[in-house]
Amino acid sequence: MDKNQATGLIILAIFLMAYFYWFAPKPEDLAKTEQTDSTEVVEKRTPDTVTANQPTTPVETTEEPDSIKDQQIYQQYGPFATVANGEEEIVTLENEVVSIDFSTNGGLWQTVRLKEYEDQNYETVVLMTEESAQLDQFIQINNGRINLSELYFEASEPYSKNDTTYLDFTLAFEGGTIKRTFGLPPKGYQVLWTNKSEGLQRTAIKDDIHYVWRDDLKPQEINIDQSRMYSSINFNYINDGHDDLGNKSNSADDMTFDEPVTWLSFKQKFFTSAIIPEKPIKGGQITITPVAEEDTTVVKKLFATFPRPIEYMETAEGEQMRLYFGPNKYNILKKVTVNFEKNIDLGWPIIREINRWLIIPLFNFFEKFIPNYGIVIILLVFVIRLIISPLTYKSQIQMAKTKVLQPEMAKIKEQFPDDMQKQQSETMKLYQKVGVNPLSGCIPLLLQMPILFAMFQFIPNAIELRHKSFLWAEDLSTYDSILSLPFSIPGYGDHVSLFTLLMTLSTLLITQMSSSQMAANTPGPMKSMQYIMPFIFLFVLNGYPAGLTYYYFISNLVSYGQMKLIRRFVDDEKIKEILEKNKARNANKKKSKFQQRLEEAMKAQ
């Protein structure tokens, strides 16, 4: 290439660059052109749509796009293609206590309202909605995986039979039908559910329908932390009984169960949703996903998946199930099915039995006649303290004996100031001579502990206290707050509970009274621990229901009164005379095997 050719190419390149810079269409013009072109395409594909610039005369189109669309739907849904699209209708079943909206899109429940209960905003409890919960049912056909809950059913008008209102949803597909029937009795929270099909087993290439159930629990309580603590997935093994996943925890958890279960429930603090099949669920997987602490829109995310044989639906009577959408009220739950009342956590076996046979019957008896639950709790305290009064009396007598022996135990400490082993040995000899069992004072207190634990389990789970006020507490089922703090104290919270303060002060009062009657040789750390424990409970119980701390406060006052009354009838001089007589009588008495073992253990220590 010579010089002239190179110069010519450079000038040509400059002209081309100038042309594209000054005369090429701008990006905005291209976008308008593309938008116009796409609009024209849409208008050609949708001849029924008339725009302002479109002529009123019909546009000639071909049926090819609709045919292609129908073909795509058939390729995806196969024999269910005719019911893949439709118009959703909502049909409602309701009785005195519950209202349930059913949708023709899936033929299942969508929104559940509990008429007798209010949420944290004092509006009707909406247990679930279309957005918060969903049940999917998948089957496998030659075309792929189909979700029956996405198909469109035809709904019947609600009809009555034997006082129960029924609703049918029917889906007709190529080669068969599926029929769902729901029945709602005039009272109660249980729903009858029948799944029946014809030809579904021939259509599916696998023998099971795969159920996928999720529920992002809607908050219903003021204290969402307590709600998360008491929310879980519960189930009942056909052989091993009740079990749960994630109770008292806000961490992720999951498990696979291979043994058959008779029911499966999504439970939050005061309400439960459950599936109760007539034939057990033979296996499945359950998962709990926690949410961020600052997220107050969801309590927990619960998930369950399990298979159901299609053959159950192909029988003449179909597959029978029951649903439960309702409160965690003991007397209601125990009538649903075996172990269903264990959706309420009443504690370890011995604690559960105390609640079952003592606390709950007493509570139910008093609430029949007294509408004020603050008074009901007071009466509950008096009856329970009366029942355990023999134990309280025995414990006070033991304290009185220990108090009488304090001068002699003080002498032992003076005699052996630097020998703890000798002090303990001589103290045990003194106990043996006067006939005092050092453990007899602890046993009555230990026997009272199960009742205290029983109340700790019962009151936070008592839905009867929900939204019931007393004195300054607006709701006995959550904490009472007399002061909101502008900050949160770790382990305490961002509020001040007056009942918790009163409970702490009354506990310190009893501790001081008991300490004055303790043995003189009680180690210093033990004395200090007595006063530290009430302050620990001040922090622990500050966020617990006001009904619980109110119960402990009243119980402390009654206990203090009992102690003062018993002490008025205890004569220290008479007790001293009895101990002196025992000392003379047991002077030459051999040690029991228990005393020997106890002394050996103390020496070893």
Side-chain angles (χ1 to χ4, degrees), residues 61-101:
T61 60
T62 63
E63 295 295 325
E64 183 177 355
D66 289 337
S67 300
I68 293 174
K69 186 177 180 180
D70 292 341
Q71 186 178 0
Q72 291 174 343
I73 292 175
Y74 187 81
Q75 287 177 351
Q76 181 179 355
Y77 291 96
F80 299 95
T82 57
V83 289
N85 294 307
E87 186 175 344
E88 182 181 26
E89 296 180 14
I90 302 299
V91 186
T92 302
L93 284 182
E94 60 181 324
N95 61 13
E96 296 179 357
V97 295
V98 65
S99 173
I100 307 173
D101 291 343

Side-chain angles (χ1 to χ4, degrees), residues 20 22 43 64 132 146 211 266 309 355 411 438 440 452 582:
F20 283 115
W22 295 105
E43 289 176 354
E64 183 177 355
S132 68
I146 302 297
Y211 282 61
F266 286 172
N355 274 316
K411 291 180 180 179
S440 62
L452 294 177
N582 290 341

Side-chain angles (χ1 to χ4, degrees), residues 142-194:
N142 289 325
N143 302 69
R145 200 177 187 213
I146 302 297
N147 185 0
L148 299 178
S149 301
E150 292 179 349
L151 305 179
Y152 286 83
F153 289 68
E154 291 186 4
S156 70
E157 291 292 330
Y159 59 94
S160 296
K161 184 179 179 182
N162 298 328
D163 294 332
T164 298
T165 304
Y166 288 92
L167 182 61
D168 295 332
F169 290 93
T170 305
L171 183 142
F173 61 93
E174 184 181 320
T177 59
I178 297 174
K179 185 178 181 180
R180 310 189 198 277
T181 300
F182 297 94
L184 185 63
K187 296 181 180 180
Y189 300 91
Q190 294 188 62
V191 181
L192 308 177
W193 182 18
T194 301

Side-chain angles (χ1 to χ4, degrees), residues 114-306:
L114 304 181
K115 297 181 178 181
E116 293 185 324
Y117 296 94
E118 296 176 335
D119 61 15
Q120 73 275 24
N121 299 316
Y122 290 86
E123 298 176 353
T124 301
V125 165
V126 180
L127 193 59
M128 63 182 68
T129 63
E130 180 184 11
E131 292 77 21
S132 68
Q134 186 175 351
L135 178 67
D136 292 322
Q137 297 173 310
F138 294 96
I139 64 169
Q140 193 73 28
I141 62 174
N142 289 325
N143 302 69
R145 200 177 187 213
I146 302 297
N147 185 0
L148 299 178
S149 301
E150 292 179 349
L151 305 179
Y152 286 83
F153 289 68
E154 291 186 4
S156 70
E157 291 292 330
Y159 59 94
S160 296
K161 184 179 179 182
N162 298 328
D163 294 332
T164 298
T165 304
Y166 288 92
L167 182 61
D168 295 332
F169 290 93
T170 305
L171 183 142
F173 61 93
E174 184 181 320
T177 59
I178 297 174
K179 185 178 181 180
R180 310 189 198 277
T181 300
F182 297 94
L184 185 63
K187 296 181 180 180
Y189 300 91
Q190 294 188 62
V191 181
L192 308 177
W193 182 18
T194 301
N195 284 312
K196 190 175 180 181
S197 67
E198 293 182 7
L200 186 61
Q201 200 167 15
R202 295 191 304 270
T203 304
I205 61 175
K206 290 187 177 180
D207 296 331
D208 295 328
I209 296 180
H210 203 71
Y211 282 61
V212 178
W213 183 22
R214 72 161 184 89
D215 193 347
D216 298 346
L217 297 178
K218 293 171 61 64
Q220 309 291 349
E221 316 305 325
I222 296 175
N223 191 340
I224 195 167
D225 292 332
Q226 283 278 309
S227 296
R228 285 170 176 159
M229 183 185 301
Y230 287 94
S231 298
S232 63
I233 299 177
N234 285 257
F235 51 94
N236 188 69
Y237 287 119
I238 195 170
N239 294 320
D240 298 330
H242 167 263
D243 202 351
D244 64 72
L245 180 71
N247 200 20
K248 301 295 177 70
S249 171
N250 191 34
S251 58
D253 205 352
D254 66 271
M255 69 169 291
T256 300
F257 56 92
D258 299 321
E259 299 180 31
V261 299
T262 57
W263 51 263
L264 183 67
S265 71
F266 286 172
K267 175 248 180 182
Q268 52 179 305
K269 185 175 183 182
F270 287 124
F271 304 100
T272 289
S273 304
I275 295 178
I276 311 162
E278 186 179 79
K279 297 178 181 179
I281 299 171
K282 294 184 178 180
Q285 184 176 6
I286 51 179
T287 304
I288 292 180
T289 303
V291 297
E293 291 185 5
E294 59 273 14
D295 185 358
T296 58
T297 61
V298 178
V299 178
K300 280 182 182 178
K301 296 184 178 182
L302 310 183
F303 174 87
T305 177
F306 53 89

Side-chain angles (χ1 to χ4, degrees), residues 369-388:
F369 306 101
I370 301 171
N372 189 308
Y373 282 91
I375 305 300
V376 169
I377 292 176
I378 291 177
L379 293 176
L380 202 60
V381 170
F382 274 100
V383 172
I384 292 175
R385 297 304 305 185
L386 182 63
I387 292 173
I388 65 176

